[in-house]
Amino acid sequence: MSPVIKFEPIGIEVECDEDETVLDASFREGWNLVHGCREGQCTACKSFLLEGEVSLEPYSTHALSESEEAQGYTLLCRAMPDSDLVVELLHFDPDNLRLAHPIGDGRARVAAIEELTAEIVRLRLEVLEPAGFSFTPGQYVDLWVPGTDGDERRSYSLANLPGDGVLELVIRRYAGGRFSGMVGVAGQVGVGDELRFTGPYGTMALRPGERPVLLVAGGSGIGPILSLLRELAAAGTARPVRFLYGARREADLPLREEIAELGAQLADFAFVPVLSEQSWDGATGLVHEAAARLVADGELVDPVVCTCGPPPMIEALIAVLTGRHGIAEGDIAFDKFTTAAAGETV
């Protein structure tokens, strides 16, 4: 019989097939457990084994140290049960335990490729199937690397709003990147090509209500934050919104005109680009420090936070906002980049 996994303190149970992880089993049965990279690198799904044993697929010791594993901690995205399990979830959202959108496979055609900066491109895909594919702003999909039959995938966040049959992805291109190196000028992926995808994944979403909103992004992490900004603009929200974006130099800043157009639809909005390697008339330094100053100065009081970018940026932001400024960790929704085994940041 298939192992049975019980999740505490929420009390749900799922059966896990022999070829799937605990996290994939929860997806299959419609449960939306907190997760991030699904590659054992970001810590989002770290949980504690109260009963039972697991075997772990390859993972990063940055996400789970040897001492943590010895104490009983595990990563649900890497854990293959060797027996029935009782798992204590360290992070969960009681209001969003069920998947809003089923996770499945699809096909899309490349409609446009746009160079945004020297390193960042926007890939626009027209969904061919399934009909009615939808997602929640802040989520992402896996693109199958062409020629690998789904054995190799790369995760990219969705930058558009759902409902128009389009997937808009903001991708940082790396020379030799297993997928990103194929996209664009002289690449192997061009307009008219078909791609396979799986999704939607991810639990980063904008919390409803009246509280101010702080959006923080770095690099191609601008993608899901742009989707959230579009959601706010479409709703005509009166909530104060601040969007901080970290880059090295001014030439690395994408989509400033689109951000300004969306901001013009909001009652109280400011976009603050922060450069770490160039002096200019705007903000300089590290983006998490700029975010902390904004909260400390009282420009945003008791905000909810959505952030996407490299793990060091996310970790520093969470540490400074929770440690110095009293923001609850549960009020910070995030999506961390991870480094794929083939050397590509996704």
Side-chain angles (χ1 to χ4, degrees):
M1 295 180 63
S2 299
V4 174
I5 298 96
K6 183 175 182 179
F7 297 103
E8 296 292 2
I10 58 178
I12 64 173
E13 293 186 1
V14 302
E15 289 189 0
C16 189
D17 294 338
E18 64 178 14
D19 61 346
E20 65 182 352
T21 65
V22 172
L23 185 64
D24 284 337
S26 71
F27 288 156
R28 176 175 49 75
E29 297 204 15
W31 297 105
N32 188 33
L33 301 188
V34 172
H35 62 283
C37 68
R38 304 178 359 271
E39 296 176 345
Q41 301 190 58
C42 79
T43 76
C45 68
K46 185 183 292 184
S47 300
F48 189 79
L49 283 177
L50 295 172
E51 297 179 19
E53 300 289 336
V54 300
S55 298
L56 289 170
E57 295 185 321
Y59 64 93
S60 168
T61 53
H62 173 77
L64 182 70
S65 67
E66 291 182 2
S67 63
E68 286 178 318
E69 184 182 0
Q71 293 172 54
Y73 291 93
T74 194
L75 300 173
L76 300 186
C77 69
R78 301 281 93 185
M80 310 280 284
D82 298 322
S83 65
D84 291 349
L85 305 177
V86 178
V87 176
E88 181 183 3
L89 299 175
L90 303 182
H91 306 284
F92 63 94
D93 184 351
D95 296 325
N96 294 288
L97 286 176
R98 275 293 183 183
L99 288 172
H101 308 286
I103 297 170
D105 297 335
R107 294 187 305 118
R109 179 181 294 113
V110 179
I113 299 173
E114 180 185 359
E115 306 283 331
L116 299 179
T117 71
E119 294 182 338
I120 295 177
V121 299
R122 174 158 53 185
L123 186 64
R124 186 177 175 85
L125 307 176
E126 295 178 350
V127 177
L128 302 176
E129 62 179 20
F133 175 81
S134 192
F135 59 92
T136 299
Q139 289 194 295
Y140 66 91
V141 295
D142 283 356
L143 293 185
W144 298 20
V145 177
T148 65
D149 295 325
D151 292 335
E152 291 191 58
R153 306 181 186 186
R154 294 295 182 265
S155 302
Y156 297 106
S157 296
L158 295 150
N160 58 306
L161 292 177
D164 57 0
V166 168
L167 308 180
E168 183 181 316
L169 313 173
V170 179
I171 297 173
R172 185 169 185 178
R173 188 165 50 205
Y174 291 84
R178 193 67 183 88
F179 180 84
S180 70
M182 295 182 173
V183 179
V185 179
Q188 298 166 262
V189 173
V191 173
D193 290 342
E194 286 192 15
L195 297 172
R196 302 291 300 275
F197 69 88
T198 302
Y201 295 103
T203 56
M204 184 175 73
L206 185 65
R207 179 171 295 186
E210 304 299 324
R211 293 168 63 186
V213 179
L214 174 59
L215 307 173
V216 184
S220 57
I222 196 171
I225 301 302
L226 185 64
S227 181
L228 296 176
L229 185 59
R230 285 172 164 163
E231 181 183 24
L232 289 163
T237 185
R239 303 167 72 172
V241 179
R242 299 294 181 271
F243 180 10
L244 278 67
Y245 179 78
R248 295 189 302 270
R249 307 182 66 81
E250 188 173 4
D252 299 323
L253 298 174
L255 300 167
R256 282 190 281 181
E257 290 185 4
E258 289 188 30
I259 293 168
E261 291 173 359
L262 291 168
Q265 302 173 46
L266 302 175
D268 184 358
F269 174 79
F271 175 55
V272 183
V274 183
L275 303 184
S276 61
E277 297 181 7
Q278 178 186 338
S279 297
W280 70 325
D281 293 337
T284 58
L286 299 176
V287 69
H288 73 275
E289 295 173 346
R293 288 194 297 270
L294 184 148
V295 174
D297 292 344
E299 187 169 340
L300 288 184
V301 178
D302 190 29
V304 294
V305 183
C306 293
T307 180
C308 183
M313 184 201 86
I314 304 295
E315 291 160 6
L317 180 68
I318 292 173
V320 72
L321 292 182
T322 59
R324 296 186 200 171
H325 303 292
I327 294 177
E329 191 165 343
D331 287 333
I332 305 174
F334 60 86
D335 191 1
K336 293 181 182 178
F337 292 161
T338 61
T339 303
E344 178 183 6
T345 299
V346 297

